[in-house]
Amino acid sequence: MVPQRVLFVIYPGLQPLDLVGPHEVFVGANEVLVRQGCPPAYLAEIVARTAGPVQGESGLAVCATGSWRDRAAETAADTLMVVGGTGVEAAIEDRELVDWIRRAAGRARRTASVCSGALLLAEAGLLDGRRATTHWYRERELRAHASVEVDIDPIHVVDGPIWTSAGVTAGIDMALAMVEVDHGVEVAQTVARHLVMFLRRPGGQSQFAPAVWAEPAESPPVRRAQQLVHAEPGAPHAVASLAARVGMSERNFSRTFTREIGTTPGRYVEQVRVDEARRLLEQAPTGVAAIARACGFGTAETMRRAFLRIVGVAPSEYRNRFAHDRSPGTSPGPEMEYHR
């Protein structure tokens, strides 16, 4: 059996972990398969504009084994994977690279991006009309491509032959999912165990993102409403009371708030309360029920439902992973060990 070529596309300013993590998954899968008496399944290659060292954003150099310019895009890869990094802005301006990615993706069985590599796929038109994700920090840039349906919480998204993943280590999760599709759960699970990772990470990337503070609204009344909510998240903030406090009719307030902020007043209040609850869960030993009351949820169950919807995990799980007062020597679990 001829190994499936996995072609990693890199450029100056790449995030090295975007490359090394998935690369080690495919190489690890080869090792597992060989131990089972099967031939290696993947041939991993790294290409840049020119072969040789390519400096990553942290200063760590990665060696490209070849140049994508020397390859016919039509025979590029079975799996084409574009990494992310702070150098992605300059890479987007490289029209030759963007055009090559577009052509290569047309012949690849699947095309993937890690982290902000999604911006290159979007620039190449490969995400048009598709659902996709990227690092939470790059959400606004990906949303600038109006034809892309951005879903910022999942660890990775599959839409047809296009795979996109969230930030940095999420590329490992995505590569494990590819191995599972290609060779079954047993092989993928074995690789995950060797990497001390979950095969399927609990929750989405929202649990790792900081609190989201929307930009102040243009209109003074809506901006005042935002200030009221942030100043006292646990206070009763019904739409009617907020509208009255800023001197607007309820209908006009809801319409103006949603237009300027991009979400309804109710959802905004819930997000701010979740952000405040996250802070308290990380920093204070207070019980979950007390935090729920302090943040305006009323009951622990109401807060749990909001957490599952917005963060992807329950409050107790969130505290177990991110509490600052964890006792020395306590194991944080596989997913936290990897994200230390």
Side-chain angles (χ1 to χ4, degrees), residues 260-309:
E260 293 196 15
I261 305 302
T263 189
T264 66
R267 289 190 180 278
Y268 187 84
V269 170
E270 183 181 57
Q271 177 67 67
V272 172
R273 287 174 173 169
V274 166
D275 290 341
E276 176 65 9
R278 287 174 58 178
R279 185 184 67 81
L280 294 175
L281 288 167
E282 292 173 13
Q283 299 179 359
T286 312
V288 171
I291 289 176
R293 291 192 296 271
C295 294
F297 290 105
T299 68
E301 176 59 24
T302 300
M303 186 169 82
R304 188 186 73 87
R305 290 197 298 267
F307 260 68
L308 290 174
R309 183 169 55 255

Side-chain angles (χ1 to χ4, degrees), residues 28-252:
N30 282 345
E31 294 173 356
V32 173
L33 290 167
V34 168
R35 285 200 298 270
Q36 294 177 349
C38 302
Y42 301 104
L43 175 62
E45 299 183 67
I46 304 167
V47 295
R49 172 168 283 275
T50 58
V54 178
Q55 186 165 311
E57 62 182 29
S58 64
L60 180 67
V62 176
C63 187
T65 54
S67 169
W68 49 261
R69 300 178 79 186
D70 297 334
R71 292 177 175 272
E74 292 74 12
T75 58
D78 174 81
T79 299
L80 180 69
M81 192 169 291
V82 180
V83 305
T86 54
V88 72
E89 285 86 0
I92 288 172
E93 299 301 319
D94 186 343
R95 301 318 305 174
E96 187 181 2
L97 171 60
V98 172
D99 291 343
W100 185 90
I101 290 173
R102 183 187 302 112
R103 296 196 310 273
R107 288 299 185 92
R109 176 167 65 99
R110 60 191 172 202
T111 298
S113 63
V114 183
C115 195
S116 57
L119 300 177
L120 265 168
L121 297 193
E123 189 67 23
L126 299 173
L127 302 185
D128 290 352
R130 296 189 183 277
R131 179 170 163 259
T133 193
T134 188
H135 194 295
W136 55 263
Y137 188 76
R138 297 283 190 165
E139 176 182 5
R140 180 173 297 183
E141 293 164 81
L142 189 57
R143 289 193 186 279
H145 295 266
S147 58
V148 182
E149 180 187 344
V150 180
D151 189 348
I152 208 60
D153 186 54
I155 296 298
H156 68 269
V157 169
V158 183
D159 190 330
I162 305 296
W163 297 55
T164 52
S165 66
V168 195
T169 58
I172 301 175
D173 300 76
M174 180 176 67
L176 286 169
M178 290 178 173
V179 170
E180 183 178 3
V181 168
D182 295 343
H183 301 285
V185 66
E186 182 180 349
V187 173
Q189 183 67 270
T190 301
V191 176
R193 286 173 178 153
H194 287 170
L195 294 174
V196 197
M197 288 191 63
F198 287 116
L199 178 57
R200 297 179 186 84
R201 187 191 316 211
Q205 72 166 333
S206 293
Q207 62 189 305
F208 300 100
V212 178
W213 300 91
E215 293 184 0
E218 293 183 5
S219 64
V222 174
R223 189 163 61 248
R224 174 58 180 157
Q226 288 178 284
Q227 293 169 345
L228 290 170
V229 174
H230 284 286
E232 200 173 358
H237 291 303
V239 175
S241 64
L242 280 174
R245 293 181 70 178
V246 300
M248 297 178 72
S249 70
E250 184 175 345
R251 181 179 179 183
N252 189 34

